[in-house]
Amino acid sequence: MAATDKVIPASLACRIAELATGTDVAPLVEARVFRVLTTAGYEQSEIGTMTGHRACYVGWRLDLLKLIAPAQTALENGDLSVNLASWIALLSEPNQTLMLARWLRGDFSGARHAERYARAIAEDETTQF
């Protein structure tokens, strides 16, 4: 299948995208809807247009699907903010486990502190040889 091939027609894709545009839609639900559309051949920019979001927003939501299961559960339960979850999702599985445990234990002064820590770990992981 070529990169431009679409598995479902645009009209149906738009109807599917509507599932992710409500105000009460959970971040992981958005992510799952976006994954359906990317799997169907739609680019993040196209999904963004369908949902009224920027392509980077679509990408951030898709990144949430990289979270380990306990982190997804914590996000769904409200024990983990979507911003912090987005940073944790960029980490390797062992570091996701570590960050989640430290967050739930209360080792950080707040979400911004935890986000800075996760960002530093992500940077360290990407610069390792």
Side-chain angles (χ1 to χ4, degrees), residues 46-104:
E46 293 173 301
I47 297 167
T49 299
M50 288 181 226
T51 60
H53 295 296
R54 297 183 330 198
C56 59
Y57 177 91
V58 175
W60 293 329
R61 287 301 192 253
L62 288 169
D63 284 344
L64 294 176
L65 298 174
K66 299 175 188 172
L67 286 168
I68 59 174
Q72 287 189 16
T73 300
L75 176 60
E76 289 173 330
N77 291 341
D79 297 325
L80 187 62
S81 72
V82 69
N83 289 338
L84 180 53
S86 295
W87 284 108
I88 292 174
L90 300 177
L91 304 177
S92 65
E93 188 173 324
N95 279 329
Q96 284 191 40
T97 301
L98 173 69
M99 275 298 302
L100 181 61
R102 291 196 63 200
W103 173 252
L104 294 175

Side-chain angles (χ1 to χ4, degrees), residues 19-27 29-30:
L19 298 172
T21 58
T23 55
D24 293 331
V25 178
V29 171
E30 277 183 310

Side-chain angles (χ1 to χ4, degrees), residues 3 19 74 107 113 120:
L19 298 172
D107 289 353
H113 178 213

